[in-house]
Amino acid sequence: MSDPAPPRQLPSAQRELLAELADLLQVDELLVYGGAALDLLVAPQLPSHDIDVAVVGLDQAHQCRRLLLTHPEVGAVSTPREYWIRFNQPVVMFDVEWRGRVLDLNFVDAVEGIGHFDVECVRWHHPSATYTDPHDVLASLPVRDAALVSGVESENPLLLLNRAIRLAAKYGISLEGSGNLAKALPELTRSARQWASTDAFHGREAAHAHTRALASATQRASGPARFLDQCLRTGVIDCRHPVLAEALREDEEAIRRLAGTRSYDEFWAAAEALGQHRARHHATHPGGIS
């Protein structure tokens, strides 16, 4: 494999945005990464509502939050929450409304582990005002695939699966076929099916995050019914919601109804109704699947 390209200077508009973020947060070192780092380089004229920001220094989180709570340009500031990278790297996170955007702020002591798929690894660097693209994503636009660049064994598989389906929905990436993302799904779904953790974050919160991801990815996809159908055929639904998967397989119109929902609550209310309908059907038809 060739050496990654060296850092390149950000264009003026992106450089200005990066400097404004550093001024807002009053920090010496930060990164913009994830989808916004890529999207704002490719099409800066298009709206980018969410921006992922990593601030170097876990101990800066609470001081920064206190500053933002009284900042005149800042709207809502969420309650801090815990996250973990690679099981052993703690992160303190909170969201901030700023100039019509949501900043997803992540305070970490080391940024090397941030980004699990190649399209998430484009980074803007402050104070150097440069950007890096370690997997050369910008050379093969538009985005048609996403490659997993961290091992499944090194991360919570539910969180990796969540990222995979969100990327698929955002960029219109197929969950089937010969693409990198499609090839990663069998191991991701197998690991997610077997995943059981008593830890609050890696267990209960990760499972809840998966229910949110399935609903939001479906509703973001350009073809929600087609996306749900792919999730069903590839085991994405079966691995954590087998009753829903069986209900969708047994009712030809069920995917269309679920794909037509417009919110998380509506999605899972419809999903629960499908499961209950299936249970009633089999309870009154002896010999059916239990």
Side-chain angles (χ1 to χ4, degrees):
M1 179 181 295
S2 60
D3 293 333
R8 287 165 277 187
Q9 286 294 312
L10 281 166
S12 58
Q14 290 82 351
R15 192 163 58 242
E16 181 179 349
L17 173 58
L18 189 63
E20 289 173 346
L21 288 170
D23 184 63
L24 171 72
L25 303 177
Q26 292 293 292
V27 296
D28 295 327
E29 187 176 357
L30 64 80
L31 298 176
V32 171
Y33 69 100
L38 173 61
D39 298 342
L40 287 170
L41 279 171
V42 175
Q45 74 280 7
L46 297 178
S48 181
H49 183 253
D50 297 339
I51 300 179
D52 292 317
V53 179
V55 176
V56 179
L58 191 67
D59 58 355
Q60 297 195 71
H62 297 295
Q63 178 182 347
C64 184
R65 186 171 183 273
R66 286 195 298 270
L67 175 70
L68 294 172
L69 283 169
T70 59
H71 196 287
E73 291 188 326
V74 169
V77 179
S78 73
T79 301
R81 59 194 186 275
E82 180 185 73
Y83 194 89
W84 290 84
I85 299 173
R86 308 289 197 276
F87 298 117
N88 59 6
Q89 186 175 337
V91 184
V92 174
M93 308 171 64
F94 57 88
D95 300 329
V96 174
E97 293 180 5
W98 175 70
R99 297 183 180 177
R101 291 184 164 116
V102 174
L103 306 180
D104 185 0
L105 302 181
N106 302 261
F107 294 81
V108 296
D109 285 335
V111 298
E112 288 74 18
I114 289 179
H116 299 288
F117 290 84
D118 57 356
V119 295
E120 301 174 316
C121 293
V122 175
R123 300 174 181 179
W124 304 3
H125 303 262
H126 176 84
S128 65
T130 59
Y131 71 95
T132 51
D133 178 16
H135 303 286
D136 212 19
V137 174
L138 289 163
S140 55
L141 296 173
V143 173
R144 301 189 187 280
D145 198 5
L148 184 63
V149 297
S150 60
V152 175
E153 71 286 347
S154 67
E155 185 59 273
N156 185 322
L158 275 181
L159 300 180
L160 290 180
L161 183 59
N162 296 349
R163 290 177 181 273
I165 61 176
R166 288 181 187 274
L167 289 172
K170 177 181 178 180
Y171 292 112
I173 302 169
S174 177
L175 297 177
E176 301 174 295
S178 59
N180 289 307
L181 191 145
K183 288 179 179 178
L185 275 186
E187 185 177 4
L188 285 176
T189 55
R190 181 170 58 252
S191 297
R193 180 182 294 108
Q194 298 168 350
W195 182 252
S197 174
T198 58
D199 176 79
F201 173 77
H202 287 293
R204 182 182 64 253
E205 291 180 28
H208 188 208
H210 182 63
T211 68
R212 294 196 304 271
L214 184 59
S216 64
T218 298
Q219 291 160 0
R220 182 171 191 173
S222 59
R226 181 175 59 84
F227 178 80
L228 261 183
D229 193 39
Q230 287 192 346
C231 287
L232 183 62
R233 292 198 300 265
T234 56
V236 169
I237 300 176
D238 282 271
C239 73
R240 300 301 293 190
H241 303 286
V243 173
L244 173 60
E246 287 300 325
L248 292 174
R249 273 190 280 268
E250 292 178 1
D251 182 349
E252 292 182 358
E253 293 297 313
I255 285 181
R256 182 185 59 79
R257 293 199 299 273
L258 197 56
T261 60
R262 293 293 179 266
S263 69
Y264 171 85
D265 289 339
E266 188 181 350
F267 182 96
W268 285 107
E272 184 177 2
L274 288 170
Q276 291 173 348
H277 174 77
R278 178 180 180 274
R280 287 194 300 269
H281 174 79
H282 289 292
T284 57
H285 290 76
I289 300 173
S290 60

